[in-house]
Amino acid sequence: MSSPFEYAPAPESRAIVDIKPSYGLFVNGEFVDGHGTSFKTISPSTEEVLSEVAEADDADVDLAVKAARRAHTRVWGRMPGRERAKYLYRIARIIQERGRELAVLESIDNGKPIKEARDVDVPTAAAHFFYYAGWADKLEYSGYGTTPLGVAGQVIPWNFPLLMLAWKIAPALACGNTVVLKPAETTPLTALLFAEICQQADLPPGVVNIVTGAGDTGRALVAHPDVDKVAFTGSTDVGRAIAKAVAGSSKKVTLELGGKAANIVFDDAPIDQAVEGIVTGIFFNQGHVCCAGSRLLVQESVADEVLERLKRRVSTLRVGDPLDKNTDIGAINSAEQLARITELSDLGEAEGAGRWSPACELPERGFWFPPTIFTNVTQAHRIAREEIFGPVLSVLTFRTPSEAVEKANNTPYGLSAGVWTDKGSLILHMANQLRAGVVWANTFNKFDPTSPFGGYKESGYGREGGRHGLEAYLKGASA
Amino acid sequence: MSRIDVRKTYKLFIGGAFPRSESGYSYVVHDSKGAFVANAALASRKDARDAVVAARKAFGGWSSRTAYNRAQIVYRIAEVMEDRRPQFVDAVRQSEGLSAARAEKVLDEAIDRLVWYAGWADKITQVVGGANPVAGPFFNLSTPEPTGVVAVLAPQDSSLLGLVSVVAPAIVTGNTVVVVSSYARPLPAVTFSEVLATSDLPGGVVNILTGSAATVAPWLASHMDVNAIDLTGVAGDTELATSLEVAAADNLKRVRRAPAAEPDWSADPGTDAMTAFLETKTVWHPIGV
């Protein structure tokens, strides 16, 4: 079915963004050449080479950690909280002032729709800096003490490059730590623009250091003996490796890992709202969301109706140019990720699940995957067990609340869950029973800097956001 | 002719029952002066796995009890301990070589600590949870919840106060535990398990294995159905602690790291021992009509 609506293209101008042909590392307040090689970052929607980025080697990481240590010892760690706060407020304001530029750059480098970068990523990143700025001079009320850990080594993923940077840097700095952050190799550009923002804010040199690179750079950072705190968001496999790498050390660790969230729809749910929530749950950000509602559990009595309305709604989603303001689903972030999504989806078909995608034309260049729904999925199917990290939804059914709980919890992950019902007592019952760090009832994929976020079980440990997010960066009240 | 006393066979505590080790092994327990006291059960890998099964089975019921009820039961443990003072004082004296006065003091603190933790059951949620003022029309609450099954390596030196100080915080918040007691000083733990068995504590909430942490702990650390591990009992043994942390990473267990040396158990414990085994759940709901 082709879309009943036709839209004229509404492209956002990229004139506001000035991408340099090459970038160095940001160490001690300056851009410097790395010792290692460089790599290219491309636009996933066009495969156009955007820039050459330095790949930090062990020596570069060491210099960055040394700069962070110096800045912590001499300046940032001893600065009164109210002064640190003002720097964070400045950063928040500059993110707002340069919001359009950041959104366009994020969309180009990541492939996400401009409307999501503009309306979610950038404002939420600014909000995180505002929120934690206010904590800097109030730490004695946090319950976690006021003593920073020192130098934080932070490794972030490619799905929300700027937002994850804000989640990591804002609380670390508010608590008096300095940071060395490694953005993902496919999406380094907004972190490098953030480095310029630190310069504009006159942030003391070494407080924030950005080292670009891939897995080896991340490993060097995590393993560096002078790093006091490791914060990682990414895959469960890498999280496991990090937990092993820091074993026996005194490094404090927080891990924000994978998920396979159940989005549970009861027969008394407002169906149209639930359908919108299902769409938000799995197709937001191309499904590149660790807390995506990738397993839809529908009560059997309404399964056909929900599925029919869901397919109708998904048929209206517009896939294409991320910079088009009408685009709902942008490009898959990399060829590698597209290959994984393709492989797991083909497996789903091979294992007997019913595959459906709306008729939609995909651009010829770039990395694209249509929104996809699998029906007749059982709990044994790999598409129901493994994190796909793409716009692929598996649909299962249930009859009773206890069956829904059992299926929802039948996963090694425990990051998030959704519940859709009109009945308050059922919402509270389900919220109690679900083993997940975030439960969205009659909504999905909502974030706010005041709200702790993080997983149970193999979705990692620690919380980011809110008062709880400070714990990861302070020595603790009893220490 | 003098009376022959009736000696006790010391056993494990699993699922509310007192089995011998399935391995059939036992080991010799000496007092602080090196004299023979008893044979204690030497827990095996299979005993550890049975204990995890019992702890998992008990988790749903225990974690869903009201905090008020968990508080009552933990307080009840203190009551029953108080009732058996002489036995505990003897056990602690014998194990730790303390004077009667010192042993009394240790017992007082152990009982008082249980009472202290009992009171936390219905307060920890209010202290570490909260309502979040999100920028939008949403009701949003963060609540602590138990992590699940916790493997606890009890302190090697402090056989009773140390044991209580690592078990009580884990269970009062709704976790269930598998405890490996002090190797050289296991008997106060066995006596403690007899108190637990008569304290309305559901079977399986606390399971106590006597034996060697170095032997049993690797199986607990790598067990895929254990959610967290407390390494206090391997204080100072960096090599073992590191290998247990590495094993624990396989299913991303929460790890309470081994301290460099055994802590001073008479100090104010703070809330860390509880929060180490709590998750934070944040629930969102739209506000509107």
Side-chain angles (χ1 to χ4, degrees):
Chain A
M1 183 176 89
S2 67
S3 167
F5 302 106
E6 290 302 330
Y7 291 85
E12 173 67 59
S13 167
R14 54 186 287 178
I16 193 170
V17 172
D18 172 28
I19 302 177
K20 297 185 179 70
S22 72
Y23 288 90
L25 309 166
F26 185 65
V27 176
N28 206 33
E30 289 169 10
F31 283 96
V32 298
D33 293 335
H35 296 87
T37 52
S38 62
F39 62 96
K40 294 178 173 64
T41 185
I42 63 169
S43 160
S45 63
T46 61
E47 298 178 58
E48 164 203 0
V49 173
L50 297 172
S51 186
E52 292 252 347
V53 179
E55 181 161 14
D57 68 6
D58 290 10
D60 296 320
V61 168
D62 187 53
L63 285 175
V65 173
K66 283 200 170 83
R69 174 63 62 196
R70 254 192 329 270
H72 179 259
T73 313
R74 295 185 188 168
V75 185
W76 197 251
R78 54 168 70 170
M79 186 183 289
R82 64 176 186 180
E83 306 301 329
R84 286 203 306 269
K86 286 186 272 187
Y87 282 110
L88 291 173
Y89 280 123
R90 277 188 193 173
I91 291 171
R93 278 292 194 227
I94 299 175
I95 290 174
Q96 290 179 322
E97 288 158 12
R98 301 180 71 172
R100 184 55 60 103
E101 187 184 351
L102 284 162
V104 171
L105 184 59
E106 194 78 309
S107 177
I108 293 171
D109 199 21
N110 170 279
K112 66 173 66 199
I114 182 68
K115 70 173 183 187
E116 288 177 4
R118 179 194 65 199
D119 298 347
V120 180
D121 294 62
V122 173
T124 314
H128 265 270
F129 278 98
F130 268 105
Y131 176 76
Y132 280 109
W135 267 119
D137 55 359
K138 299 168 191 70
L139 294 174
E140 62 266 38
Y141 300 98
S142 73
Y144 303 117
T146 58
T147 314
L149 298 169
V151 175
Q154 309 178 314
V155 179
I156 59 170
W158 44 259
N159 57 343
F160 295 94
L162 181 71
L163 182 56
M164 290 300 104
L165 173 149
W167 280 29
K168 294 284 180 291
I169 292 182
L173 263 47
C175 294
N177 303 275
T178 56
V179 307
V180 179
L181 177 127
K182 188 198 86 70
E185 65 269 32
T186 61
T187 56
L189 295 185
T190 43
L192 294 166
L193 180 51
F194 179 81
E196 285 179 28
I197 290 173
C198 293
Q199 289 177 328
Q200 280 191 338
D202 279 336
L203 193 71
V207 173
V208 168
N209 304 274
I210 311 274
V211 291
T212 43
D216 285 342
T217 309
R219 269 186 287 276
L221 180 56
V222 166
H224 196 288
D226 204 31
V227 162
D228 302 296
K229 151 81 191 172
V230 172
F232 172 75
T233 296
S235 75
T236 291
D237 281 344
V238 175
R240 250 190 279 279
I242 290 174
K244 288 181 186 182
V246 301
S249 75
S250 58
K251 287 175 188 159
K252 201 161 171 172
V253 187
T254 43
L255 302 172
E256 209 68 80
L257 309 176
K260 193 74 193 175
N263 204 357
I264 305 165
V265 179
F266 285 95
D267 60 6
D268 66 340
I271 300 292
D272 286 332
Q273 286 171 37
V275 165
E276 282 307 307
I278 296 162
V279 169
T280 307
I282 186 61
F283 300 124
F284 173 65
N285 205 47
Q286 296 70 248
H288 300 330
V289 184
C290 49
C291 50
S294 53
R295 287 183 297 152
L296 174 63
L297 299 182
V298 196
Q299 199 154 21
E300 209 173 82
S301 46
V302 290
D304 290 345
E305 188 191 351
V306 168
L307 209 60
E308 192 200 315
R309 288 207 226 177
L310 177 65
K311 286 180 176 175
R312 196 166 48 199
R313 175 68 180 93
V314 173
S315 300
T316 68
L317 294 176
R318 297 168 58 87
V319 183
D321 181 8
L323 279 181
D324 189 321
K325 284 173 268 189
N326 291 321
T327 291
D328 298 302
I329 298 183
I332 299 303
N333 183 253
S334 64
E336 189 190 1
Q337 186 58 25
L338 179 59
R340 176 172 166 80
I341 298 168
T342 306
E343 184 199 342
L344 276 164
S345 300
D346 291 349
L347 249 166
E349 217 172 340
E351 287 183 354
R355 179 176 187 159
W356 178 90
S357 287
C360 67
E361 273 181 46
L362 300 177
E364 289 195 352
R365 291 187 64 81
F367 315 124
W368 304 93
F369 200 87
T372 299
I373 297 173
F374 277 103
T375 50
N376 294 323
V377 178
T378 73
Q379 297 187 85
H381 282 130
R382 276 182 65 186
I383 49 169
R385 307 205 64 78
E386 292 181 28
E387 187 178 40
I388 298 174
F389 225 65
V392 180
L393 179 70
S394 295
V395 184
L396 298 89
T397 59
F398 68 92
R399 290 184 178 174
T400 63
S402 62
E403 188 188 347
V405 167
E406 197 159 310
K407 284 185 169 168
N409 288 341
N410 180 13
T411 165
Y413 296 114
L415 191 51
S416 64
V419 180
W420 298 83
T421 166
D422 228 8
K423 199 171 175 190
S425 57
L426 182 57
I427 288 171
L428 296 177
H429 171 76
M430 294 299 289
N432 276 347
Q433 300 296 310
L434 292 165
R435 303 283 295 160
V438 182
V439 177
W440 285 292
N442 293 330
T443 183
F444 209 95
N445 266 346
K446 290 285 182 291
F447 301 92
D448 190 275
T450 66
S451 299
F453 178 91
Y456 284 41
K457 300 194 278 185
E458 293 184 28
S459 290
Y461 33 79
R463 293 294 179 271
E464 295 184 280
R467 183 187 68 87
H468 294 74
L470 296 167
E471 183 180 16
Y473 293 98
L474 291 168
K475 280 214 167 122
S478 59
Chain B
M1 188 176 148
S2 66
R3 179 179 173 274
I4 306 295
D5 60 350
V6 178
R7 289 190 180 166
K8 179 168 157 186
T9 298
Y10 290 86
K11 299 190 197 175
L12 307 173
F13 183 52
I14 299 174
F18 292 92
R20 288 188 164 94
S21 171
E22 64 77 39
S23 66
Y25 284 100
S26 63
Y27 70 106
V28 177
V29 178
H30 298 104
D31 67 14
S32 59
K33 296 191 179 67
F36 172 82
V37 177
N39 292 301
L42 184 70
S44 67
R45 171 187 179 181
K46 176 71 162 66
D47 294 322
R49 294 175 62 170
D50 289 348
V52 173
V53 170
R56 175 60 62 196
K57 199 170 156 206
F59 177 69
W62 181 243
S63 59
S64 61
R65 283 184 186 234
T66 63
Y68 179 55
N69 183 245
R70 283 202 303 272
Q72 298 250 307
I73 290 172
V74 175
Y75 181 75
R76 176 82 179 148
I77 298 170
E79 286 181 341
V80 180
M81 269 183 92
E82 184 86 31
D83 208 31
R84 296 173 65 159
R85 290 190 68 94
Q87 189 187 356
F88 275 108
V89 171
D90 279 353
V92 170
R93 285 188 70 178
Q94 197 174 45
S95 295
E96 302 183 22
L98 300 178
S99 67
R102 290 273 307 161
E104 289 272 0
K105 190 156 183 298
V106 165
L107 179 61
D108 290 347
E109 282 181 4
I111 293 169
D112 290 357
R113 183 136 307 158
L114 278 163
V115 173
W116 189 73
Y117 274 119
W120 268 115
D122 51 7
K123 293 162 197 74
I124 191 75
T125 302
Q126 293 178 310
V127 171
V128 305
N132 309 306
V134 300
F138 294 94
F139 154 94
N140 172 316
L141 286 179
S142 290
T143 319
E145 288 190 349
T147 293
V149 173
V150 182
V152 177
L153 308 182
Q156 296 300 319
D157 294 340
S158 181
S159 60
L160 183 66
L161 177 57
L163 174 80
V164 165
S165 300
V166 290
V167 171
I171 63 168
V172 78
T173 50
N175 296 289
T176 57
V177 298
V178 175
V179 188
V180 183
S181 72
S182 164
Y183 180 77
R185 302 167 173 182
L187 300 189
V190 177
T191 304
F192 184 61
S193 67
E194 289 165 8
V195 164
L196 297 176
T198 51
S199 300
D200 306 323
L201 190 76
V205 173
V206 177
N207 305 275
I208 298 183
L209 306 172
T210 48
S212 154
T215 312
V216 177
W219 303 112
L220 294 170
S222 63
H223 198 300
M224 294 302 274
D225 206 27
V226 172
N227 303 104
I229 188 163
D230 183 340
L231 300 180
T232 303
V234 292
D237 187 342
T238 318
E239 203 175 318
L240 178 57
T242 302
S243 74
L244 294 174
E245 266 190 64
V246 169
D250 273 333
N251 72 337
L252 293 156
K253 282 181 188 65
R254 281 61 176 140
V255 175
R256 190 167 177 231
R257 282 185 168 142
E262 200 167 307
D264 171 11
W265 297 109
S266 63
D268 176 355
T271 54
D272 288 5
M274 287 182 286
T275 54
F277 306 120
L278 288 173
E279 302 291 339
T280 298
K281 176 185 280 179
T282 301
V283 179
W284 292 65
H285 194 280
I287 292 173
V289 286

